[in-house]
Amino acid sequence: MLKEKTIVLGVSGGIAAYKAVELLRLFVKAGAEVFVVMTKSACEFVTPLTFQTLSGNPVHTELFNLYQEREIGHISLADRADLVVVAPATANIIGKVAGGLADDLLSTTLMATKAPVLFVPAMNVNMYENPLYRANQEKLAGFGYHFLEPVTGYLACGWEGKGKMPEPSAVLEQALRLLSPQDLAGETLLVTAGPTREELDPVRYLSNYSSGKMGYAIARAAYQRGARVILVSGPAALPVPCGVELVKVVSAVQMRETVMDRLAEATVVIKSAAVADYRPAVRCGQKIKKGPAEQLDLALEKNPDILAELGERKMTQLLVGFAAETADLVENARKKLESKNLDLIVANDVSRSDAGFDVDTNAVRLLYRDGSSEELPLLSKSEVAWQLLDRIARLRKPTA
Ligand code: PMT
């Protein structure tokens, strides 16, 4: 995700400095080259050796030592960075930058860099609410510096309130967004994911093996690429992707209602959910008891076909469907593309054990309205999502 990206991680002196260690680990795991710059007070909380060991790069703490070190003396950290992340960012470092001061290595790097800068403030709630601090943050935001808001909770100083550094995974997500092409900025994507559950009685339901992984990967990637994302999800045990509006539903009927309610907001609709085609004709109010008969017949009635209705109702939206097939993949998918008035369909061969339901990889063929198609190799669901969004971005802005 962050291959060939260089991140300068600035750590200033707050108790949340320990979270910067985990953040560094996540950056490195995602493939980034990371150089850590610590303020003097940060070194009181965590040792430079910890960051040095995890980053595999020397940790920089002193402005003047930096210039003396032969191996990096001619390389400016500020120039190397694709992104500078300051986490935790104290009121002090933010105040310094807002005041145009550059009196140590971190503030000098921040002053010199042309890379985007993400501040992750963490401090006492009263400091965070102090008008002087607020003015500094607003001033920097006005100059294009990025901020990830602290979260509310119990603070190390004993106070309760807004001031906690968000989890490192949330910082990683913001970093990914800042390093991704913003080719979906201005778009609103309505994405459906997961299975639907069709209740039979208070303790039983009909459903399928969809985990939601494919749809959540699309939602996450779309947010990273600048889109506003509304994710309508059936029951799924996945974390809510950062920055995404999640609307939880259970049944196909609920999914239909939500999707139709939100349709007018969307510029692109992607229906990756595995919606049950049928539901029990009768929902029993009490648990169905075992009887003497050897067989129990279950009457089913048709669920609404959400995608087909979208095909009829869509105005300017780009409509993307999925087709989960175990046989005649292309023929069946093409029929769905045409009968449901889609712009693009993702034909998903779910007979493979490494593709489709509840696995981390997928193998798909993309079929377009003009009759053309392209096959993608076996990829992670995250990579499938990125490739699909590449195509969608192109269809939305053909001249870009
Ligand atoms: O969630 P995962 O575990 O990651 O698995 C991913 C997936 C296999 C669920 C996904 O890649 C996928 O193929 N999704 C579509 C599953 C499906 O229901 O396919 P279908 O061929 O039955 O339906 C065709 C299209 O119509 C789909 O876009 C579906 O969302 C839509 N549909 C279907 C029935 C219905 N009543 N309403 C619908 O809108």
Side-chain angles (χ1 to χ4, degrees):
M1 286 186 286
L2 289 174
K3 278 199 187 86
E4 292 169 21
K5 298 290 182 197
T6 299
I7 295 178
V8 170
L9 174 59
V11 185
S12 58
I15 184 64
Y18 77 93
K19 285 191 180 172
V21 177
E22 173 62 6
L23 179 60
L24 165 62
R25 214 185 55 77
L26 293 181
F27 284 155
V28 171
K29 199 170 157 208
E33 171 103 64
V34 188
F35 293 94
V36 178
V37 176
M38 298 176 75
T39 63
K40 215 167 164 210
S41 21
C43 299
E44 301 288 329
F45 290 93
V46 185
T47 67
L49 186 61
T50 310
F51 290 108
Q52 188 150 309
T53 310
L54 289 171
S55 68
N57 284 316
V59 169
H60 308 295
T61 53
E62 302 276 343
L63 182 58
F64 296 107
N65 279 357
L66 173 68
Y67 294 130
Q68 286 157 13
E69 278 184 45
R70 271 184 57 215
E71 78 272 23
I72 53 161
H74 63 291
I75 299 164
S76 159
L77 285 170
D79 286 351
R80 274 187 168 200
D82 293 301
L83 174 70
V84 180
V85 178
V86 186
T90 56
N92 185 52
I93 188 72
I94 289 165
K96 262 192 206 180
V97 181
L101 298 179
D103 66 349
D104 63 4
L105 183 57
L106 182 55
S107 50
T108 309
T109 307
L110 286 163
M111 190 63 75
T113 193
K114 292 203 167 216
V117 174
L118 172 64
F119 284 111
V120 187
M123 63 194 76
N124 165 273
V125 57
N126 296 332
M127 288 170 83
Y128 188 69
E129 285 169 1
N130 188 311
L132 283 170
Y133 173 78
R134 308 279 353 132
N136 286 339
Q137 178 168 327
E138 264 165 46
K139 181 177 176 186
L140 289 178
F143 281 119
Y145 290 87
H146 303 273
F147 283 83
L148 181 61
E149 291 290 300
V151 291
T152 301
Y154 179 75
L155 304 173
C157 54
W159 282 77
E160 188 119 21
K162 196 168 178 182
K164 264 171 92 80
M165 181 172 144
E167 286 311 307
S169 55
V171 184
L172 172 70
E173 291 299 313
Q174 285 307 318
L176 286 169
R177 184 167 160 112
L178 289 170
L179 286 166
S180 298
Q182 296 298 288
D183 52 357
L184 293 175
E187 304 286 354
T188 297
L189 268 70
L190 179 58
V191 181
T192 71
T196 61
R197 276 185 192 169
E198 311 300 325
E199 260 190 32
L200 196 52
D201 69 16
V203 297
R204 301 184 181 95
Y205 55 82
L206 301 179
S207 192
N208 57 63
Y209 291 113
S210 171
S211 60
K213 286 178 184 173
M214 189 65 250
Y216 278 58
I218 294 169
R220 181 181 180 215
Y223 173 73
Q224 284 168 8
R225 293 168 72 148
R228 173 178 168 234
V229 184
I230 305 164
L231 175 61
V232 180
S233 174
L238 297 173
V240 186
C242 183
V244 165
E245 182 190 349
L246 176 72
V247 186
K248 289 185 186 174
V249 297
V250 177
S251 66
V253 168
Q254 285 173 1
M255 185 173 277
R256 183 206 155 268
E257 266 173 36
T258 308
V259 167
M260 296 310 157
D261 273 0
R262 306 300 297 265
L263 178 62
E265 295 168 59
T267 55
V268 178
V269 183
I270 306 178
K271 285 237 57 239
S272 60
V275 184
D277 287 320
Y278 293 90
R279 62 173 181 267
V282 178
R283 189 229 176 237
C284 299
Q286 302 297 325
K287 184 183 168 205
I288 301 168
K289 291 279 178 209
K290 184 163 67 179
E294 284 304 312
Q295 197 173 315
L296 175 72
D297 293 328
L298 201 57
L300 299 177
E301 66 185 0
K302 244 191 180 160
N303 262 329
D305 189 324
I306 309 168
L307 191 55
E309 190 176 340
L310 286 168
E312 282 164 17
R313 286 172 65 158
K314 73 171 180 179
M315 290 163 298
T316 54
Q317 290 93 350
L318 188 94
L319 185 55
V320 180
F322 270 68
E325 306 293 343
T326 52
D328 303 321
L329 179 71
V330 175
E331 293 78 350
N332 286 333
R334 173 111 6 235
K335 269 187 217 153
K336 286 177 185 168
L337 173 89
E338 280 157 16
S339 66
K340 300 188 190 201
N341 190 24
L342 312 180
D343 297 289
L344 163 59
I345 194 158
V346 182
N348 204 165
D349 179 357
V350 293
S351 64
R352 296 172 56 149
S353 60
D354 54 4
F357 292 90
D358 202 16
V359 286
D360 292 328
T361 49
N362 214 353
V364 302
R365 181 180 271 276
L366 307 177
L367 277 68
Y368 300 92
R369 231 183 143 80
D370 64 3
S372 62
S373 75
E374 55 177 324
E375 188 165 8
L376 301 184
L378 182 72
L379 296 168
S380 70
K381 281 184 176 165
S382 164
E383 287 165 322
V384 171
W386 273 79
Q387 298 262 354
L388 175 63
L389 293 177
D390 283 349
R391 297 349 180 242
I392 289 173
R394 242 178 276 151
L395 287 169
R396 288 289 300 164
K397 299 184 185 98
T399 49

